[in-house]
Amino acid sequence: MWEYLSSLAGELPYILQGSLTTLLVVFFALGLGLIFGLPLALGQIYGPLALNRLVRIYVWFFRGTPILVLLYLFYFGLFIALNLDVSAFASSCIVLGLTSAAYQSQIFRGALESLPHGQLKAARALGMSDTEGIRHIILPQALRLSIPGWSNEYSILLKDSALVHVLGVPELMARSHYVASRTTWHFTYYILAGILYLIITVLGLRLLRSLETKTRLPGYAALSHE
């Protein structure tokens, strides 16, 4: 029993370092998804027909291709073909970020389409350009409405991040698997990994729920459905 507890105590810091790497992958992927997802949503709704079709193709490709395939395709295929020296960590963030952009674009698109259509016309009547109306009137509301969907995307990305160990990224699952294989206590360390994933998920969702509460406009949801 003492040997068992001693092993857990000794390996825990090593596994927790993997948790930090997992958080960094999710953080960068979410950020990249936001940077690309929002323009994709705007292009799909307000852009010309050609741009709308390009966005649909992008979303179709990244939503329809497994993460594991994309990781191999980019890291061992595209980056090598382009003679780019991209680390496994950066490749993982890029692949997860581009995939998240496809999903986030649809979250933002749904939020944008849920707003009353007359708001942009009202902005024009006030002398605003379409760009100013979207930036100052449409986007602030849409971003608030997107937070619940964004929370769900955080949970999905966190689970998908477990796949990046195939590229050699020393994240939570990779380190847990290494320790489990070395000690032969597979059940113990995989349970520990599951608990850590659960803790990270709950803490992240609580932060996002707090953000949703702080940015919520009282009575807005009820008015938007009238």
Side-chain angles (χ1 to χ4, degrees):
M1 183 65 179
W2 172 251
E3 180 184 359
Y4 182 78
L5 294 176
S6 177
S7 175
L8 280 175
E11 301 293 353
L12 185 58
Y14 175 78
I15 295 177
L16 288 177
Q17 290 178 5
S19 301
L20 178 59
T21 302
T22 292
L23 282 172
L24 288 175
V25 170
V26 173
F27 174 79
F28 286 121
L30 268 179
L32 189 62
L34 175 63
I35 291 172
F36 285 100
L38 191 54
L40 287 173
L42 292 172
Q44 190 171 1
I45 294 178
Y46 300 110
L49 180 60
L51 181 58
N52 182 289
R53 289 177 176 175
L54 287 175
V55 172
R56 288 178 180 271
I57 293 173
Y58 177 93
V59 172
W60 168 79
F61 175 77
F62 279 97
R63 292 179 68 177
T65 308
I67 296 292
L68 189 59
V69 175
L70 290 171
L71 288 169
Y72 286 139
L73 179 63
F74 275 74
Y75 187 63
F76 296 110
L78 182 61
F79 292 145
I80 292 178
L82 296 176
N83 198 28
L84 297 176
D85 184 16
V86 182
S87 68
F89 176 82
S91 297
S92 300
C93 294
I94 291 171
V95 169
L96 290 180
L98 294 177
T99 303
S100 180
Y103 285 95
Q104 288 192 49
S105 70
Q106 300 311 291
I107 294 173
F108 297 136
R109 181 179 66 83
L112 289 166
E113 291 181 340
S114 70
L115 298 174
H117 297 292
Q119 292 193 6
L120 192 55
K121 293 181 180 179
R124 291 169 182 158
L126 293 174
M128 292 185 179
S129 65
D130 286 354
T131 301
E132 291 173 335
I134 292 171
R135 178 182 177 183
H136 297 292
I137 297 177
I138 304 298
L139 276 184
Q141 300 175 75
L143 290 176
R144 289 187 179 97
L145 295 175
S146 299
I147 294 176
W150 212 59
S151 301
N152 187 53
E153 178 63 13
Y154 164 79
S155 300
I156 293 172
L157 268 180
L158 181 60
K159 289 182 287 186
D160 288 343
S161 69
L163 292 172
V164 305
H165 79 279
V166 300
L167 301 185
V169 179
E171 44 75 62
L172 173 56
M173 193 62 209
R175 290 178 181 248
S176 299
H177 177 70
Y178 172 75
V179 174
S181 300
R182 183 164 53 82
T183 62
T184 69
W185 293 344
H186 297 86
F187 181 77
T188 300
Y189 284 103
Y190 290 143
I191 284 291
L192 176 60
I195 292 173
L196 291 174
Y197 275 115
L198 183 61
I199 291 173
I200 295 172
T201 300
V202 171
L203 292 178
L205 290 178
R206 285 189 176 182
L207 287 174
L208 290 170
R209 182 62 60 85
S210 175
L211 177 63
E212 179 185 356
T213 301
K214 291 180 179 179
T215 58
R216 180 182 296 136
L217 297 177
Y220 178 80
L223 289 173
S224 64
H225 289 85
E226 291 182 357

